[in-house]
């Protein structure tokens, strides 16, 4: 059976005898040399075990859980796989059928030095077994020491010293100035060394864990090393100070032996055993180049630097380990450190460790308390499987219970502080979460989302809104957690703000039909809730509430409605246009021109009706099924007697139809009336022409009289003075012809309606007769003689002819 220590390929085989732990068929067997393993730092260690359990009375018994551990208390075991100290460095290789399990620890460290035990649990109630004692692992560090030297030469023998006994099968590697100089099974190395040579050693396949480098020429084999250079202890306690010393085995070919060794604090090397101050309180335990100083009943005055000195048989050869160990006698300032398992699915535990601000002696025993009640323990650490919210643990040193640590506890229910008063939108808001907890709690903020789930926001004591918005309103959740537990609390944040732009909805949706029931709903996002009021034409309608209801909406309700929402922080408004659909109202019909319509004239029949959507119009005549027109205005350009009668206007849209009737009366016109009208018009025109010529004639005559003074002048143009202007000599003649239409005294070009064909023939014959001519001569003064000349006519005469048929 064996235990192997492997490091990157090298294997150490330890020939051992099995360690069997058995009781009533229960057993755990380890393979170990005296149940101890020494492995170089950085190597990989493998520990094997076999286990057994009885099946005679319980054939269905089987292993449900198995693990390795180094710490336990009060039935709680810290599975190595869940210990943060071994994270990523521990592997189990277990076979349930063969009932064996192997623990593999890689990259071992000094802190891994401990006693390792295997434990298994079966599927039967309270069936479990622990292999105790377990296997003790010591992790070795290397140090180069001078084994022998000669003061008259540079030859020295060096030893690669280990802090624990390693297997003899290892291969040692030596380095000088970072260069490999020897590789072999011996831990020693002899050579001539020169000034500046720096030597270190390691073991094969673990070269990265070398010993600290040593300047060889500065060493001659003499030395003292201390386990710790600083120790803290409290008054009345006992402290141990340990050291290791070396000296050359031979010096100048003479074997070296130890003559005397002692501890002292002051020169000239006063042995503490002879110092009256320490009388009865000092004890030495020295063997195998090691020496332990124990001082009991410590006092404040014992604080000092303690040194070890030894003397050999060599002439004047002695050595003092300086600097020494500093002892401080003071309050140890105990604290409880907390660790939790890193995988609660495998094993859930919490470790409390009684820690001091300075290094206390390892042999001390401890006492643990929960709310001033002592609990079982005694070790420096204490394991818990569950921690209640009300639990409060602290530790003390056994025999010195008055020296206690501060209590540790899970967080209490957190308290969240926020600004007093209302939180206005846009303001800066800080939420602070605090809880009484030891160790100090870590805080995490969450917010409840729409699915009632808490969404992670951030970690930290404070949650700051630089400019809070309405969307930030909601339920916030603060969690306070430390290694002993967690607690949480909620806070509701309600951000106040003025109403947003209101939203208006119409129910039912779609088209609004006259007579239907309609509701207008106005809503606005606001905090506090807004009161909404409806207005029409700037007049408030209804009560101050969000809904305005039409029991039976009418066409008169069409229009724009305004909704105003307000709270104490402000107001906002919006408008909504309401369009009501309805059938045409009773059409209004009119006739233009009004009154009796004369035959042959034009008439407009107009129909109009209030409707939504706008109506389409159709005109019908009484006792006729066919439509006369499909326009709002029905135009009859040439009215005849048959156009008279009743006309129906039909106004229609998708909502319905309505009709109205109007009567059209047509008056017939006689031939005499036509003639009278024509004569009156013609007479008026002729009279206007006569008056116009008369006006110009009179004006011309007046002008001629004024020009003939102071002597008389003849009408003959040749008798005008030669100095008369051309304008004075202008004559204008006009000839007017009058035509006679049958027996009518006045010409008319309007032929009476209904005249016979023979009358038209007579008119043609009359037009062929010779017209009579009347002349009228009018003399005008011409203002432009050149104009008369250009025409080529007699400048004194202008003729105008008007023909009249008789």
């Amino acid at each position: 059976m064996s235990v192997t220590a492997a490091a990157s390929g090298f294997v150490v085989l330890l020939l051992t005898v099995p360690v069997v732990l058995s009781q009533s068929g229960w057993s755990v067997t380890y393979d170990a040399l005296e149940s101890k393993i020494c492995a170089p730092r950085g190597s990989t260690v493998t520990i094997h075990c076999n286990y057994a359990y009885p099946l005679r009375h319980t054939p269905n018994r089987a292993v449900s859980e198995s693990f390795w551990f180094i710490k336990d208390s009060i039935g709680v075991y810290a599975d190595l796989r869940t210990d943060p100290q071994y994270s990523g460095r521990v592997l189990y290789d277990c076979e349930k059928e063969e009932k064996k399990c192997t623990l593999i620890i890689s990259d071992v460290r000094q802190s891994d030095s401990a006693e390792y035990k295997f434990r298994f649990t079966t599927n039967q109630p309270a069936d479990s077994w622990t292999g105790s004692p377990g296997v003790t692992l010591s992790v070795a560090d290397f140090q180069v020491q001078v084994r022998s030297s000669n003061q008259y030469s540079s030859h020295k023998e060096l030893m690669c010293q280990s802090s624990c006994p390693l297997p003899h099968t290892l291969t040692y590697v030596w380095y000088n100035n970072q260069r490999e100089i020897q590789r072999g099974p011996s831990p020693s190395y002899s050579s001539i060394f020169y000034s500046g040579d720096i030597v270190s050693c390691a073991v094969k396949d673990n070269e990265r864990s070398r010993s600290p480098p040593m300047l060889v020429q500065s060493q001659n084999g003499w030395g003292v090393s201390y386990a710790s250079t600083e120790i803290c202890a409290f008054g009345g306690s006992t402290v141990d100070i340990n050291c290791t010393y070396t000296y050359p085995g031979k010096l100048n070919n003479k074997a070296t032996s130890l003559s005397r060794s002692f501890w002292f604090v002051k020169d000239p090397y006063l042995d503490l055993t002879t110092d009256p101050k320490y009388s009865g309180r000092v004890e030495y335990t020295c063997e195998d180049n090691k020496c332990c100083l124990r001082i009991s009943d410590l006092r404040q005055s014992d604080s000092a630097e303690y040194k070890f000195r030894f003397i050999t048989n060599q002439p004047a050869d002695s050595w003092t380990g300086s600097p020494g160990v500093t002892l401080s006698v003071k309050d140890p300032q105990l604290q409880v450190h907390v660790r939790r398992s890193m995988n609660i699915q495998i094993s859930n535990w919490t470790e409390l460790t009684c820690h001091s601000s300075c290094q206390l002696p390892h042999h001390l025993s401890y006492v643990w308390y929960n709310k001033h009640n002592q609990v079982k323990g005694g070790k420096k650490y204490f394991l818990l499987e569950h921690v209640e919210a009300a639990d409060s643990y602290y530790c003390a040193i056994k025999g010195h219970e008055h020296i206690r640590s501060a209590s540790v506890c899970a967080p209490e229910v957190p308290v969240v502080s926020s600004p007093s008063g209302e939180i206005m939108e846009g303001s800066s808001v800080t939420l602070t979460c605090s809880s009484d907890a030891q160790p100090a709690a870590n805080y995490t903020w969450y917010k409840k989302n729409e699915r009632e789930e808490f969404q992670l926001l951030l970690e930290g004591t404070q949650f700051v809104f630089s400019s809070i918005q309405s969307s930030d309103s909601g339920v916030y959740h603060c969690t306070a957690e430390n290694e002993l537990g967690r607690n949480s609390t909620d806070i509701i944040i309600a951000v106040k703000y003025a109403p947003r732009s209101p939203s208006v909805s119409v129910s039912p949706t779609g088209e609004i039909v006259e007579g239907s029931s309609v509701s207008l709903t106005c809503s606005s996002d606001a905090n506090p809730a807004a009161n909404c009021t409806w207005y029409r034409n700037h007049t408030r309608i209804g009560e101050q509430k969000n809904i305005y209801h039409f029991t039976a909406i009418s066409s008169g309700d069409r229009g724009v409605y305004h909704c105003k929402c307000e709270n104490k922080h402000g107001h906002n408004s919006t408008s909504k246009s309401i369009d009501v659909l309805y059938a045409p109202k009773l059409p209004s019909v009119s006739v233009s021109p009004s009154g009796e319509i004369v035959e042959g004239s034009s008439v407009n029949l107009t129909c109009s009706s209030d409707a939504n959507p706008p109506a389409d119009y159709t005109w019908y005549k009484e006792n006729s099924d066919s439509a006369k027109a499909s326009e709002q205005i029905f135009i009859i350009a040439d009215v005849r007697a048959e156009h008279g009668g009743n006309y129906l206007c039909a106004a229609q849209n998708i909502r319905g139809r309505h009709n109205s009737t109007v009567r059209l009366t047509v008056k017939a016109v006689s031939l005499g009336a036509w003639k009278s009208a024509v004569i009156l018009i013609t007479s008026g025109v002729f009279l206007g022409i006569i008056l116009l010529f008369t006006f110009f004639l009179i004006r011309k005559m007046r002008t001629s009289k004024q020009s003939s003074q102071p002597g008389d002048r003849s009408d003959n143009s040749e008798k005008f003075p030669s100095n008369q202007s051309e304008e004075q000599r202008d004559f204008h003649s006009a000839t007017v012809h009058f035509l006679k239409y049958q027996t009518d005294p006045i010409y008319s070009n309007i032929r009476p309606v209904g005249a016979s064909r023979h009358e038209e023939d007579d008119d043609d014959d009359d037009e062929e007769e010779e017209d009579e001519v009347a002349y009228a001569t009018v003399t005008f003064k011409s203002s432009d003689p050149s104009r008369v000349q250009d025409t080529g006519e007699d400048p004194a005469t202008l003729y105008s002819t008007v023909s009249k048929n008789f």
Side-chain angles (χ1 to χ4, degrees):
M1 313 300 283
S2 66
V3 172
T4 61
S8 302
F10 87 87
V11 178
V12 179
L13 179 63
L14 304 177
L15 297 178
T16 68
V17 293
V19 177
V20 179
L21 305 168
S22 178
Q23 180 180 349
S24 303
W26 298 86
S27 68
V28 173
T29 302
Y30 302 105
D31 296 332
L33 179 61
E34 298 179 356
S35 301
K36 294 182 179 180
I37 298 176
C38 177
R41 177 172 55 88
S43 63
T44 297
V45 173
T46 303
I47 305 176
H48 304 278
C49 82
N50 293 280
Y51 58 90
Y53 50 87
L55 296 173
R56 180 175 180 181
H57 301 291
T58 53
N60 295 327
R61 178 180 281 137
V63 173
S64 59
E65 181 186 20
S66 62
F67 56 90
W68 294 81
F69 68 95
I70 60 173
K71 294 180 179 180
D72 69 287
S73 60
I74 320 177
V76 180
Y77 302 87
D79 190 332
L80 290 180
R81 293 173 298 181
T82 65
D83 192 335
Q85 177 181 326
Y86 292 87
S87 177
R89 300 190 299 119
V90 167
L91 179 65
Y92 293 172
D93 184 10
C94 301
E95 299 180 12
K96 291 185 178 180
E97 293 182 359
E98 298 184 13
K99 299 183 179 64
K100 62 181 181 179
C101 189
T102 300
L103 167 64
I104 303 172
I105 309 173
S106 59
D107 189 22
V108 293
R109 309 164 185 175
Q110 281 291 344
S111 58
D112 296 339
S113 297
E115 181 183 4
Y116 292 80
K117 301 176 184 179
F118 177 76
R119 177 178 177 82
F120 67 92
T121 302
T122 72
N123 56 359
Q124 300 300 314
D127 269 1
S128 59
W129 188 260
T130 299
S132 184
V135 176
T136 301
L137 170 64
S138 298
V139 179
D141 273 330
F142 295 104
Q143 184 177 5
V144 175
Q145 294 181 351
V146 179
R147 187 172 184 180
S148 65
S149 65
N150 192 319
Q151 62 180 344
Y152 302 107
S153 70
S154 299
H155 185 276
K156 295 182 183 295
E157 183 181 359
L158 307 180
M159 175 66 72
C160 191
Q161 189 67 40
S162 171
S163 59
C164 62
L166 291 169
H168 299 292
T169 57
L170 297 181
T171 299
Y172 292 85
V173 182
W174 287 90
Y175 300 89
N176 187 355
N177 296 323
Q178 301 297 323
R179 182 174 58 87
E180 183 179 335
I181 56 176
Q182 178 177 296
R183 181 182 293 255
S186 174
S188 63
Y189 173 67
S190 297
S191 182
I192 296 175
F193 296 94
Y194 301 94
S195 176
D197 285 347
I198 298 177
V199 178
S200 60
C201 67
V203 294
K204 181 184 176 182
D205 297 325
N206 196 34
E207 289 85 347
R208 63 187 181 89
S209 298
R210 298 180 186 179
S211 67
M214 184 191 73
L215 185 60
V216 178
Q217 287 292 8
S218 66
Q219 303 293 323
N220 53 16
W222 302 86
V224 174
S225 61
Y226 300 100
S228 178
T229 58
E230 292 185 2
I231 296 178
C232 175
F234 53 89
S237 66
T238 299
V239 65
D240 290 340
I241 304 176
N242 294 282
C243 77
T244 301
Y245 58 92
T246 61
Y247 51 86
K250 290 182 179 181
L251 187 60
N252 300 326
N253 296 322
K254 180 182 179 181
T256 304
S257 61
L258 182 64
S259 299
R260 181 187 173 199
S261 62
F262 59 92
W263 294 82
F264 69 96
V265 295
K266 294 180 181 179
D267 293 334
Y269 310 119
L270 178 59
D271 190 339
L272 289 181
T273 57
T274 62
D275 190 339
K277 178 182 175 182
Y278 294 90
S279 179
R281 300 190 298 119
V282 170
E283 178 184 355
Y284 296 165
T285 303
C286 301
E287 60 179 357
D288 297 331
N289 287 39
K290 297 178 181 179
C291 193
C292 175
L293 165 63
R294 173 168 291 183
I295 307 174
S296 59
D297 191 19
L298 285 172
R299 306 167 186 176
Q300 189 71 34
S301 59
D302 294 337
S303 298
E305 182 182 2
Y306 292 81
K307 302 176 183 178
F308 179 75
R309 180 176 176 84
F310 65 93
I311 302 172
T312 68
N313 61 341
Q314 297 291 346
D317 277 343
S318 59
W319 191 265
T320 299
S322 184
V325 177
T326 300
L327 172 64
S328 300
V329 180
K330 60 180 182 180
D331 182 356
Q333 300 177 356
L334 298 178
Q335 296 177 337
V336 177
H337 288 187
V338 183
R339 288 195 319 149
R340 294 188 67 179
S341 59
M342 62 182 183
N343 192 335
I344 61 175
Q345 284 74 27
I346 297 177
S347 177
N348 185 20
W349 50 265
T350 301
E351 180 189 43
L352 308 181
T353 303
C354 198
H355 181 76
S356 174
S357 58
C358 56
Q359 183 174 345
L360 294 174
H362 297 291
H363 64 274
L364 295 179
S365 295
Y366 296 83
V367 182
W368 288 92
Y369 298 88
N370 182 12
K371 294 182 293 186
H372 307 293
N373 298 319
Q374 184 175 344
V375 294
K376 293 181 180 180
K379 299 176 183 179
K380 188 176 182 179
Y381 64 87
F382 181 63
L383 292 179
L384 298 167
E385 190 170 12
H386 300 288
V387 180
E388 303 296 334
D391 289 344
S392 177
Y393 291 92
Y394 62 91
C395 66
I397 298 175
K398 188 174 183 180
H400 305 274
E401 284 77 1
H402 62 284
I403 303 176
R404 295 181 175 181
S405 69
S407 298
V408 294
C409 59
E412 295 182 357
V413 177
V415 175
V416 176
S417 61
S418 61
S420 58
E422 293 184 338
I423 299 175
M424 293 301 302
E425 187 174 40
S427 62
S428 177
V429 175
T430 300
L431 305 180
T432 303
C433 188
S434 59
S435 173
D436 186 11
Q438 187 62 36
N442 296 316
Y443 299 92
T444 307
W445 289 93
Y446 302 84
K447 184 182 180 183
K448 186 178 290 186
N449 58 23
E450 295 79 3
R451 297 187 299 274
E452 297 297 313
E453 299 172 346
F454 284 108
Q455 181 179 0
L456 175 65
L457 297 177
L458 57 83
E459 296 180 353
T461 304
Q462 292 186 332
F463 188 26
V464 179
F465 302 90
S466 58
S467 178
I468 197 166
Q469 301 300 311
S470 60
S471 58
D472 295 323
S473 297
V475 178
Y476 288 82
H477 185 79
C478 172
T479 297
E481 182 175 11
N482 64 8
E483 292 83 351
L484 293 173
R486 62 184 297 175
N487 223 321
S488 60
T489 190
D490 292 342
I491 183 173
I492 299 176
I493 298 298
V495 180
K496 308 296 183 180
Y497 51 97
R500 309 295 192 211
S501 180
S503 172
V504 174
S505 62
V506 180
S507 178
T509 58
E511 294 180 339
I512 300 175
V513 180
E514 186 176 36
S516 62
S517 175
V518 176
S519 294
L520 304 181
T521 303
C522 183
S523 61
S524 175
D525 180 22
N527 192 17
N531 294 317
C532 298
T533 307
W534 284 97
Y535 295 85
R536 186 183 183 190
N537 298 329
H538 306 289
T539 301
R540 176 177 167 180
I541 57 175
E543 300 179 358
Q544 190 177 30
K545 55 184 181 181
N546 294 21
I547 300 177
Y548 183 68
H549 183 69
F550 299 91
T551 303
I553 197 167
S554 65
S555 60
D557 294 324
R558 299 170 65 192
V560 178
Y561 291 79
H562 296 270
C563 170
K564 179 181 179 181
C565 297
E566 59 186 336
N567 63 11
K568 64 180 181 179
H569 301 299
H571 62 84
N572 216 323
S573 61
T574 190
S575 60
K576 180 69 175 180
S577 179
I578 299 300
D579 189 24
V580 180
L581 303 182
Y582 51 94
K585 306 298 184 183
L586 181 65
S588 171
V589 293
S590 62
V591 180
S592 178
S594 59
E596 292 182 342
I597 306 302
V598 178
E599 187 177 14
S601 64
S602 175
V603 68
N604 294 343
L605 304 182
T606 302
C607 182
S608 61
S609 174
D610 181 20
N612 190 23
D616 295 324
Y617 298 93
T618 307
W619 288 93
Y620 299 89
K621 189 177 181 184
E622 188 177 27
N623 300 325
S624 176
D625 294 334
S626 60
K628 296 298 182 181
S630 298
E631 302 293 340
Q632 186 175 4
I633 300 176
F634 178 25
I635 301 175
I636 304 176
D638 184 11
V639 177
R640 296 187 299 275
E642 60 267 23
H643 289 149
N646 292 329
Y647 287 84
L648 182 143
C649 171
Q652 182 176 6
N653 64 9
I654 59 174
R655 307 311 311 174
R657 170 175 174 165
H658 221 142
N659 303 332
S660 285
T661 304
V662 65
R663 183 172 183 80
L664 180 64
T665 302
V666 179
K667 183 178 181 181
V669 179
S670 62
L671 179 61
W674 274 101
K675 288 184 178 181
S676 299
V678 172
I679 292 172
L680 288 174
I681 293 171
T682 306
S683 299
V685 172
F686 182 76
L687 181 60
I689 294 172
I690 296 300
L691 290 176
L692 180 62
F693 276 104
T694 303
F695 171 75
F696 282 107
L697 180 61
I698 294 172
R699 182 175 179 183
K700 184 66 176 176
M701 291 176 63
R702 288 180 180 177
T703 304
S704 299
K705 288 180 181 181
Q706 292 175 359
S707 300
S708 62
Q709 293 177 0
D712 294 333
R713 281 181 282 187
S714 173
D715 290 335
N716 197 327
S717 62
E718 287 81 4
K719 293 182 180 181
F720 284 176
S722 60
N723 59 353
Q724 287 287 332
S725 66
E726 292 297 327
E727 181 182 356
Q728 292 174 341
R729 291 178 300 190
D730 285 343
F731 289 94
H732 301 271
S733 300
T735 300
V736 181
H737 298 270
F738 293 90
L739 303 177
K740 183 177 180 182
Y741 176 71
Q742 292 181 5
T743 60
D744 292 337
I746 299 176
Y747 168 76
S748 174
N749 63 353
I750 303 176
R751 183 176 294 109
V753 179
S756 62
R757 178 62 185 170
H758 70 271
E759 292 177 345
E760 294 177 359
D761 296 336
D762 294 340
D763 290 340
D764 295 336
D765 297 336
D766 294 338
E767 289 174 359
E768 295 176 357
E769 295 178 1
E770 182 179 354
D771 296 334
E772 294 183 358
V773 179
Y775 297 92
T777 302
V778 184
T779 302
F780 298 96
K781 292 182 180 181
S782 176
S783 61
D784 188 2
S786 63
R787 179 179 60 80
V788 178
Q789 295 174 1
D790 291 341
T791 62
E793 296 177 356
D794 185 357
T797 305
L798 176 65
Y799 296 94
S800 176
T801 301
V802 178
S803 297
K804 176 181 178 183
N805 297 328
F806 295 94

